[in-house]
Amino acid sequence: MSKNIKIYIGILVFILILILVSDYNKPKPIDWRPTYSVNDKIPFGLYVFDKEIGGILKKQKIEKIADVTPYEFLDSKYDEDTLVQTYTVKGTFLNISAQNTIDDQSIKEIMYFVSHGNNAFLSMTNFPKPLLDSLKIDYNSGFLQTENNSVWMANKKLSSKIYKSSGNIVDYFTKIDTLNTTVLGYQGNPKEKKNINFIKVAYKSGYFYLHMNPVAFTNYNLLKEDRYRYTENVLSYIPKGNIYWYTKGQNNENISESPLRYILSQPALKWAWYLFLIGMLIFMIFNAKRKQRIVPILQPLANSTIDFTKTIGNLYYQEGDHTNIIDKKIIYFLEKIRTEYLIDTTKLDDDFVKKLHHKTGKNETDIQELIFLINEHRNGYHASIEQDLIRINTAIEKILN
């Protein structure tokens, strides 16, 4: 491994360490997702409720249904072999979630369970259609324009206090069967309009307790001032007896959306994948030096124009024809003046000197000296042809460079 590669790897490791240190010291952002998970300590988790439910529902046995659906659990408790077919368990089915997570088959089984003299307490913002149709109820959601969104109990003897609710979304029942339904609580703005959000519905030999403010059971509300008292008041309606709390899907059982979820779910495949990644990293480090065929050095094409000029120049020099060289340089100089500066070169007089001075910005004395040398050469005044060549060449270079 070359020295440069080691330097690059060192810089990369240093940058990664800086990133890790900066992320470690950065405060963790609050997760406001409404997971309603019994293992989540975030604002809308049920961690606190899970720890306190035993103290709220005292002397009541609480059994969590975490691995099967309500249908699978209740159906397994139904005894068909006895003369009077009924359930071997008695009590209240409990479910608290942001949205309805119970399948239709399970809802039918819960209704059958309630019809045998049991109860069901459901706290969610929407309810399954089969249940709504059977109980002859309906619900709606709205946005409260003011911030005074509150919840309170209908029974003033139980609690006459109004508790602040989270957010401005109001979920409430719009239709109830008044013959079989008892209103237990309200939500909204008590000074303007109250909306029913907690009811008790008789269903054959049992009761459904339907509550539309599940946020009351979350960590945020249980730890916020005295809002926990509202939660206690709501749960006080649950009859004494066993509680069957349905928490399946509320234990951080989120299904990974990664394409590698099956590989990562199997210990052997997971470690094989990690070893493959580590091996590839080692291979890349030790083979970071690029390997390629030797690139042949291509000689640049010779500038034939320069060679030709040198040849012609040497020819003139060897022949000693300095007069011809001076004539060629004067012709080249005057042609360049006509082409680039558009100055007439027929008469090389004072007017020509001024025009060339204005257009080139060169020293006027240098221009006068060059014109003098050109006119002197044309008039045939030659003290020394070789010296004239040197003087004219020097004077031309002052003007053109």
Side-chain angles (χ1 to χ4, degrees):
M1 189 184 302
S2 67
K3 183 178 179 181
N4 289 337
I5 294 176
K6 291 181 180 178
I7 293 174
Y8 295 148
I9 293 175
I11 294 173
L12 179 61
V13 171
F14 179 71
I15 293 173
L16 289 175
I17 292 174
L18 287 179
I19 294 173
L20 291 175
V21 171
S22 62
D23 286 343
Y24 180 79
N25 295 326
K26 186 188 300 182
K28 187 177 180 181
I30 298 175
D31 186 355
W32 291 98
R33 291 178 301 140
T35 62
Y36 286 78
S37 170
V38 295
N39 295 326
D40 278 346
K41 298 180 181 179
I42 60 178
F44 294 124
L46 297 180
Y47 179 82
V48 175
F49 180 72
D50 180 48
K51 299 302 179 183
E52 298 296 330
I53 187 172
I56 298 174
L57 301 175
K58 298 177 181 179
K59 298 180 181 181
Q60 291 178 264
K61 181 182 177 182
I62 301 171
E63 180 179 349
K64 290 182 182 178
I65 308 172
D67 300 322
V68 294
T69 64
Y71 169 78
E72 294 170 325
F73 174 78
L74 295 175
D75 185 64
S76 66
K77 306 299 181 182
Y78 187 74
D79 189 359
E80 297 180 344
D81 298 331
T82 59
L83 182 62
V84 180
Q85 296 178 349
T86 186
Y87 289 90
T88 59
V89 295
K90 292 289 184 180
T92 301
F93 176 86
L94 172 66
N95 179 235
I96 301 170
S97 59
Q99 302 290 331
N100 171 43
T101 58
I102 304 175
D103 60 277
D104 289 347
Q105 186 64 36
S106 293
I107 283 295
K108 293 178 181 179
E109 188 66 30
I110 293 171
M111 294 173 66
Y112 197 62
F113 176 70
V114 172
S115 69
H116 282 71
N118 297 292
N119 307 286
F121 182 97
L122 306 178
S123 181
M124 54 187 69
T125 56
N126 60 355
F127 295 95
K129 192 70 167 58
L131 180 63
L132 296 175
D133 294 340
S134 298
L135 301 182
K136 299 178 183 180
I137 60 176
D138 203 356
Y139 68 92
N140 194 10
S141 296
F143 183 80
L144 198 64
Q145 296 296 332
T146 65
E147 296 182 357
N148 191 19
N149 182 17
S150 305
V151 290
W152 64 96
M153 307 302 295
N155 188 348
K156 300 299 182 180
K157 294 181 180 180
L158 181 64
S159 175
S160 60
K161 185 170 182 179
I162 297 175
Y163 300 90
K164 185 75 174 177
S165 182
S166 301
N168 290 340
I169 302 298
V170 180
D171 301 294
Y172 56 94
F173 294 102
T174 57
K175 174 187 174 183
I176 60 175
D177 181 4
T178 55
L179 295 177
N180 298 309
T181 304
T182 303
V183 176
L184 302 179
Y186 298 96
Q187 180 177 12
N189 188 342
K191 295 181 180 180
E192 297 176 3
K193 181 181 179 181
K194 59 182 181 180
N195 301 290
I196 301 171
N197 79 325
F198 186 25
I199 59 176
K200 174 184 176 181
V201 186
Y203 182 73
K204 296 184 180 179
S205 299
Y207 293 94
F208 275 97
Y209 296 86
L210 305 181
H211 182 250
M212 299 202 71
N213 191 34
V215 72
F217 301 93
T218 59
N219 302 326
Y220 179 80
N221 278 277
L222 290 178
L223 299 176
K224 184 77 171 178
E225 300 171 351
D226 62 344
R227 296 185 188 180
Y228 69 92
R229 296 189 183 277
Y230 172 77
T231 306
E232 291 178 343
N233 292 334
V234 171
L235 293 177
S236 67
Y237 279 99
I238 296 179
K240 297 295 182 181
N242 296 334
I243 305 294
Y244 304 102
W245 185 11
Y246 178 55
T247 62
K248 182 176 172 61
Q250 295 174 245
N251 297 284
N252 289 339
E253 300 165 344
N254 297 327
I255 299 176
S256 172
E257 297 181 359
S258 170
L260 301 173
R261 59 179 177 270
Y262 178 75
I263 293 177
L264 297 178
S265 66
Q266 306 297 318
L269 293 177
K270 180 175 70 173
W271 280 108
W273 173 249
Y274 289 158
L275 289 174
F276 168 75
L277 293 179
I278 294 172
M280 287 298 296
L281 180 61
I282 295 173
F283 175 80
M284 291 173 63
I285 291 175
F286 285 96
N287 289 272
K289 188 175 182 180
R290 186 176 63 174
K291 296 179 181 179
Q292 64 178 27
R293 293 178 300 169
I294 298 175
V295 179
I297 299 175
L298 299 178
Q299 297 294 338
L301 297 175
N303 192 334
S304 57
T305 303
I306 296 176
D307 292 340
F308 175 76
T309 304
K310 288 182 179 179
T311 301
I312 297 301
N314 289 332
L315 178 63
Y316 278 112
Y317 182 76
Q318 291 174 3
E319 291 294 328
D321 193 355
H322 300 115
T323 301
N324 200 356
I325 296 175
I326 294 173
D327 291 339
K328 294 292 189 297
K329 290 190 74 66
I330 293 173
I331 292 171
Y332 169 75
F333 168 72
L334 296 178
E335 174 65 23
K336 190 173 181 67
I337 297 301
R338 288 192 297 271
T339 304
E340 291 189 9
Y341 301 108
L342 304 176
I343 300 176
D344 183 19
T345 60
T346 304
K347 295 180 64 177
L348 302 181
D349 52 10
D350 292 339
D351 186 51
F352 174 81
V353 171
K354 290 180 180 180
K355 289 181 180 180
L356 186 59
H357 168 65
H358 289 309
K359 289 198 173 186
T360 62
K362 299 296 181 179
N363 190 294
E364 187 174 355
T365 303
D366 293 337
I367 297 174
Q368 289 175 346
E369 181 182 357
L370 174 59
I371 299 305
F372 172 77
L373 292 174
I374 292 174
N375 289 330
E376 189 180 54
H377 173 75
R378 285 179 172 179
N379 293 329
Y381 302 113
H382 306 297
S384 171
I385 298 299
E386 187 173 352
Q387 291 296 324
D388 288 346
L389 174 59
I390 294 173
R391 290 169 61 194
I392 290 175
N393 182 70
T394 302
I396 289 175
E397 287 182 352
K398 286 182 180 180
I399 305 305
L400 297 183
N401 293 338

